Amino acid sequence: MLIQCPACKANADVPTSKEGAKVRCGECGRVYAALPLGGRTRVASGTNNGLYIGLGVAAAVLLLFVVLSKTGGKDDLPVVDAGEAPVAAATGPVDETGWNSEIVQLTRRLHRAAAERDEGVLLGLIAPVHVSAWRAMQAAAEPPAEAPAEAPNTDEQAGTLDLETALVSARALTTDAQAEVARAAIADLTTGDSKDLVADWEPYDGSVANLTDAYAVVHLAVTPREGGTEKRTVEWELVRDGGRWKAFRWERWYSDAEKKHLRKKRSSGYEKVTLSDGSQVFEREPEPLAHLEDTPPDLRARIDELFPQLINDEPRIYTTARRELVAIGKPAVPKLLTGLYEIPLDTEEHAIQVNAIVVTLRDITGQNFFFKPLTLVGSAMGTTEERRQSAIKQWFAWWYRKGEKFTEKETSDALDDLIELSDKDKAWLERTKNN
């Protein structure tokens, strides 16, 4: 049955069973009743025309009732294929910008097609000319100095080339060149860098954030397709191409709250990383640390004096220094961490010295990041070089995340036997332990 949109006069072919149902125009989005072109039901000639018309109207009403009664949740909207463009049966007010809107449903379909590696579907949903223009903008942009850590949203990353200027060159692409751009975009979505943004993530909420006659921006909330509690937002930008919406930009989008969190994270410098064995840990690059501001000068001097003794290869000297540093506790931690930064893991001797520091840190804090001095893979006494380096970085991540606020382990009151301190320093240590 041929129908015509009363707004833009676009024709569409729908099954006769949909006569009387409300449909959405694939060209302009107008919702109207699906009636044969000409506005009336065709009936047989003769004296029974009135009867046939009455039966036709009754059937249309019944069909409309059935369609509406079967329409359910977010993913159950019935769709009528009107030639090139989808025509969806309406249920009450038309959703123009929400989860069930045409534009948001298209981005949801992009995620599903990327996960299924359905290249045919993806090819029909991508605007290669605009993809090429956006890639040119990215290449021309000067990356902000703090871009990775600040994680600005894409509109804040605009470079020296605007979209309309980039489109001038992109529109000159040959058909073969456009096809190559489309294939590269599909590969990026399914197996490339964007896989961890699109194919691996399933939408659960979203809406149109900005809408004009030619462009639309969608914020799509997603969660890992394989399960998990992490949530993030993908920003899609679409263009109306030949009467249909097509995507040309997809990037991670950060809310103001997320950007604030990332700025705070950057100031601490640690990050969550995945090691080759699949384990996830927090790491931070080592650096020299100063003594805590409230550590008395005499105690600072004593810590500095004990540190060389701790890495001495004479067991008696090492053991005595270790016991005293453990008794001092938290004020000794910055000096010990600095030792992890300063001693390279280039010889067995240095690795043993680092292990002495790690053991002392463990005894002070109760933390353990499983540093081992030997790199004997497969041995109960050894580990990998990656693990050794990571253990040191984990100590620094812990200090910047929690270390300055950690509660010290319980220690004995045998300070007089272990440390030769002034009464003032002893009083300060007792106050520190009790805080």
Side-chain angles (χ1 to χ4, degrees):
M1 177 177 69
L2 191 64
I3 63 176
Q4 186 179 75
C5 174
C8 68
K9 307 304 180 184
N11 294 334
D13 190 16
V14 300
T16 56
S17 61
K18 300 300 182 182
E19 182 175 351
K22 288 185 178 181
V23 296
R24 188 196 303 275
C25 176
E27 297 293 330
C28 69
R30 172 75 176 272
V31 175
Y32 62 97
L35 296 174
L37 190 62
R40 65 175 63 191
T41 305
R42 291 173 294 179
V43 297
S45 61
T47 58
N48 292 325
N49 283 358
L51 175 61
Y52 290 137
I53 292 173
L55 290 174
V57 171
V61 172
L62 178 60
L63 176 62
L64 178 60
F65 173 78
V66 171
V67 170
L68 293 178
S69 65
K70 289 185 177 180
T71 302
K74 291 184 175 180
D75 291 308
D76 298 328
L77 290 176
V79 176
V80 180
D81 185 5
E84 291 281 330
V87 183
T91 58
V94 179
D95 186 358
E96 298 287 352
T97 61
W99 175 256
N100 287 320
S101 64
E102 174 191 358
I103 300 172
V104 175
Q105 287 197 59
L106 187 147
T107 57
R108 292 159 54 189
R109 191 179 182 194
L110 280 160
H111 277 261
R112 183 167 61 252
E116 297 172 355
R117 298 189 181 183
D118 192 332
E119 296 185 4
V121 170
L122 291 172
L123 186 63
L125 299 179
I126 291 174
V129 170
H130 280 72
V131 169
S132 178
W134 176 251
R135 300 298 191 210
M137 289 177 62
Q138 289 182 310
E142 288 292 335
E146 303 297 335
E150 295 290 345
N153 291 327
T154 52
D155 58 348
E156 299 171 358
Q157 294 183 16
T160 57
L161 187 66
D162 63 84
L163 181 59
E164 291 306 317
T165 302
L167 281 171
V168 173
S169 298
R171 290 191 175 108
L173 292 175
T174 64
T175 301
D176 288 343
Q178 291 186 32
E180 182 61 30
V181 170
R183 284 193 293 270
I186 291 171
D188 180 46
L189 288 168
T190 55
T191 60
D193 293 341
S194 293
K195 179 177 181 292
D196 188 40
L197 188 67
V198 180
D200 294 342
W201 293 78
E202 183 173 7
Y204 66 89
D205 196 10
S207 62
V208 178
N210 190 26
L211 180 63
T212 67
D213 291 340
Y215 293 95
V217 175
V218 173
H219 286 168
L220 205 60
V222 296
T223 191
R225 193 172 293 276
E226 298 299 324
T229 59
E230 184 180 355
K231 296 179 176 62
R232 62 174 57 173
T233 301
V234 180
E235 182 173 83
W236 289 90
E237 189 166 0
L238 304 95
V239 60
R240 191 181 284 277
D241 183 11
R244 301 183 64 186
W245 289 106
K246 295 184 179 181
F248 68 91
R249 179 175 67 81
W250 45 93
E251 294 189 330
R252 175 81 180 270
W253 184 84
Y254 296 86
S255 66
D256 290 341
E258 286 176 308
K259 288 192 289 183
K260 181 178 179 181
H261 171 74
L262 288 170
R263 283 193 292 268
K264 182 178 179 181
K265 174 182 173 181
R266 180 183 178 277
S267 67
S268 299
Y270 60 83
E271 62 178 342
K272 191 174 185 179
V273 301
T274 302
L275 302 181
S276 59
D277 62 2
S279 58
Q280 292 186 327
V281 297
F282 285 102
E283 291 185 352
R284 190 188 193 281
E285 289 300 320
E287 63 179 357
L289 302 176
H291 285 288
L292 298 177
E293 291 184 2
D294 56 352
T295 302
D298 291 346
L299 186 57
R300 295 186 185 194
R302 182 56 180 163
I303 294 170
D304 291 341
E305 182 182 349
L306 287 169
F307 180 78
Q309 300 175 27
L310 177 69
I311 59 175
N312 190 288
D313 59 3
E314 173 60 44
R316 182 183 59 81
I317 297 176
Y318 153 74
T319 302
T320 301
R322 174 184 162 191
R323 292 178 62 203
E324 192 167 336
L325 287 167
V326 171
I328 291 173
K330 183 176 178 178
V333 172
K335 181 65 178 181
L336 295 171
L337 290 176
T338 299
L340 295 183
Y341 163 78
E342 292 176 340
I343 301 175
L345 288 174
D346 55 351
T347 66
E348 182 178 341
E349 180 183 0
H350 284 160
I352 293 173
Q353 291 175 352
V354 169
N355 188 59
I357 298 172
V358 168
V359 171
T360 307
L361 284 168
R362 184 192 64 197
D363 290 346
I364 293 173
T365 67
Q367 304 298 315
N368 187 9
F369 300 113
F370 305 103
F371 176 87
K372 295 181 180 180
L374 302 179
T375 55
L376 302 176
V377 180
S379 168
M381 297 298 294
T383 186
T384 64
E385 182 63 22
E386 177 194 41
R387 272 287 181 183
R388 291 204 312 175
Q389 298 288 349
S390 177
I392 294 174
K393 294 177 181 179
Q394 288 177 61
W395 273 111
F396 278 85
W398 168 80
W399 178 252
Y400 278 92
R401 290 177 66 221
K402 302 178 180 179
E404 294 188 13
K405 299 179 180 179
F406 86 97
T407 301
E408 296 185 42
K409 292 176 61 179
E410 290 293 331
T411 58
S412 68
D413 294 327
L415 292 175
D416 291 336
D417 296 331
L418 298 175
I419 314 172
E420 294 182 4
L421 299 176
S422 66
D423 292 338
K424 180 180 178 180
D425 287 342
K426 291 178 182 178
W428 179 88
L429 279 173
E430 289 299 324
R431 288 198 304 272
T432 303
K433 289 196 301 179
N434 295 328
N435 288 336

Tab-separated table of all heavy atoms in Angstrom, residues 271-283 386-387 390:
chain	number	residue	atom	x	y	z
A	271	GLU	N	47.175	5.667	38.987
A	271	GLU	CA	46.211	5.182	38.020
A	271	GLU	C	46.021	3.677	38.189
A	271	GLU	O	46.896	2.988	38.712
A	271	GLU	CB	46.658	5.486	36.600
A	271	GLU	CG	47.975	4.813	36.207
A	271	GLU	CD	48.353	5.100	34.769
A	271	GLU	OE1	47.466	5.515	34.007
A	271	GLU	OE2	49.521	4.911	34.407
A	272	LYS	N	44.894	3.217	37.741
A	272	LYS	CA	44.595	1.785	37.793
A	272	LYS	C	45.082	1.146	36.509
A	272	LYS	O	44.719	1.583	35.416
A	272	LYS	CB	43.090	1.559	37.959
A	272	LYS	CG	42.706	0.130	38.290
A	272	LYS	CD	41.215	0.037	38.570
A	272	LYS	CE	40.810	-1.349	39.013
A	272	LYS	NZ	39.353	-1.419	39.307
A	273	VAL	N	45.941	0.135	36.624
A	273	VAL	CA	46.511	-0.509	35.445
A	273	VAL	C	46.255	-2.007	35.508
A	273	VAL	O	46.048	-2.580	36.577
A	273	VAL	CB	48.034	-0.238	35.331
A	273	VAL	CG1	48.307	1.244	35.241
A	273	VAL	CG2	48.777	-0.843	36.517
A	274	THR	N	46.279	-2.623	34.332
A	274	THR	CA	46.105	-4.075	34.224
A	274	THR	C	47.431	-4.698	33.825
A	274	THR	O	48.002	-4.342	32.784
A	274	THR	CB	45.037	-4.424	33.187
A	274	THR	OG1	43.796	-3.801	33.561
A	274	THR	CG2	44.827	-5.932	33.114
A	275	LEU	N	47.933	-5.612	34.641
A	275	LEU	CA	49.203	-6.282	34.351
A	275	LEU	C	48.990	-7.400	33.339
A	275	LEU	O	47.856	-7.776	33.022
A	275	LEU	CB	49.810	-6.822	35.643
A	275	LEU	CG	50.074	-5.778	36.743
A	275	LEU	CD1	50.696	-6.445	37.964
A	275	LEU	CD2	50.968	-4.653	36.228
A	276	SER	N	50.078	-7.931	32.843
A	276	SER	CA	49.992	-8.948	31.789
A	276	SER	C	49.277	-10.208	32.244
A	276	SER	O	48.747	-10.953	31.424
A	276	SER	CB	51.395	-9.292	31.284
A	276	SER	OG	52.203	-9.783	32.343
A	277	ASP	N	49.257	-10.463	33.552
A	277	ASP	CA	48.553	-11.653	34.040
A	277	ASP	C	47.072	-11.382	34.296
A	277	ASP	O	46.356	-12.246	34.800
A	277	ASP	CB	49.215	-12.182	35.310
A	277	ASP	CG	49.173	-11.178	36.457
A	277	ASP	OD1	48.601	-10.077	36.280
A	277	ASP	OD2	49.717	-11.479	37.537
A	278	GLY	N	46.601	-10.174	33.966
A	278	GLY	CA	45.195	-9.840	34.116
A	278	GLY	C	44.825	-9.150	35.416
A	278	GLY	O	43.716	-8.651	35.547
A	279	SER	N	45.735	-9.121	36.366
A	279	SER	CA	45.434	-8.483	37.645
A	279	SER	C	45.447	-6.965	37.490
A	279	SER	O	46.207	-6.412	36.704
A	279	SER	CB	46.437	-8.917	38.711
A	279	SER	OG	47.753	-8.587	38.312
A	280	GLN	N	44.590	-6.289	38.257
A	280	GLN	CA	44.481	-4.843	38.210
A	280	GLN	C	45.011	-4.248	39.507
A	280	GLN	O	44.632	-4.698	40.597
A	280	GLN	CB	43.041	-4.414	37.980
A	280	GLN	CG	42.521	-4.785	36.593
A	280	GLN	CD	41.141	-4.224	36.329
A	280	GLN	OE1	40.329	-4.107	37.226
A	280	GLN	NE2	40.880	-3.864	35.086
A	281	VAL	N	45.872	-3.260	39.383
A	281	VAL	CA	46.508	-2.656	40.554
A	281	VAL	C	46.576	-1.149	40.359
A	281	VAL	O	46.455	-0.637	39.246
A	281	VAL	CB	47.935	-3.219	40.772
A	281	VAL	CG1	47.899	-4.708	41.057
A	281	VAL	CG2	48.818	-2.921	39.560
A	282	PHE	N	46.779	-0.417	41.457
A	282	PHE	CA	47.031	1.013	41.398
A	282	PHE	C	48.538	1.242	41.380
A	282	PHE	O	49.273	0.670	42.195
A	282	PHE	CB	46.416	1.724	42.599
A	282	PHE	CG	44.929	1.871	42.509
A	282	PHE	CD1	44.088	1.036	43.220
A	282	PHE	CD2	44.359	2.858	41.709
A	282	PHE	CE1	42.715	1.160	43.141
A	282	PHE	CE2	42.990	2.996	41.621
A	282	PHE	CZ	42.169	2.153	42.336
A	283	GLU	N	48.993	2.092	40.455
A	283	GLU	CA	50.410	2.404	40.356
A	283	GLU	C	50.616	3.917	40.286
A	283	GLU	O	49.737	4.656	39.845
A	283	GLU	CB	51.023	1.767	39.107
A	283	GLU	CG	51.111	0.259	39.136
A	283	GLU	CD	51.827	-0.303	37.918
A	283	GLU	OE1	52.124	0.485	36.986
A	283	GLU	OE2	52.080	-1.509	37.896
A	386	GLU	N	58.230	-7.365	35.539
A	386	GLU	CA	57.041	-6.511	35.563
A	386	GLU	C	56.464	-6.410	36.971
A	386	GLU	O	56.114	-5.326	37.449
A	386	GLU	CB	55.983	-7.065	34.604
A	386	GLU	CG	54.678	-6.271	34.621
A	386	GLU	CD	53.536	-7.008	33.937
A	386	GLU	OE1	53.422	-8.247	34.131
A	386	GLU	OE2	52.754	-6.356	33.234
A	387	ARG	N	56.382	-7.537	37.657
A	387	ARG	CA	55.832	-7.562	39.010
A	387	ARG	C	56.726	-6.797	39.988
A	387	ARG	O	56.234	-6.106	40.880
A	387	ARG	CB	55.671	-9.011	39.470
A	387	ARG	CG	54.341	-9.635	39.089
A	387	ARG	CD	53.241	-9.069	39.939
A	387	ARG	NE	51.944	-9.637	39.629
A	387	ARG	CZ	50.816	-9.254	40.207
A	387	ARG	NH1	50.843	-8.290	41.113
A	387	ARG	NH2	49.683	-9.795	39.890
A	390	SER	N	56.231	-3.140	39.311
A	390	SER	CA	54.880	-2.751	39.706
A	390	SER	C	54.758	-2.650	41.217
A	390	SER	O	54.058	-1.762	41.735
A	390	SER	CB	53.863	-3.767	39.172
A	390	SER	OG	52.556	-3.442	39.600
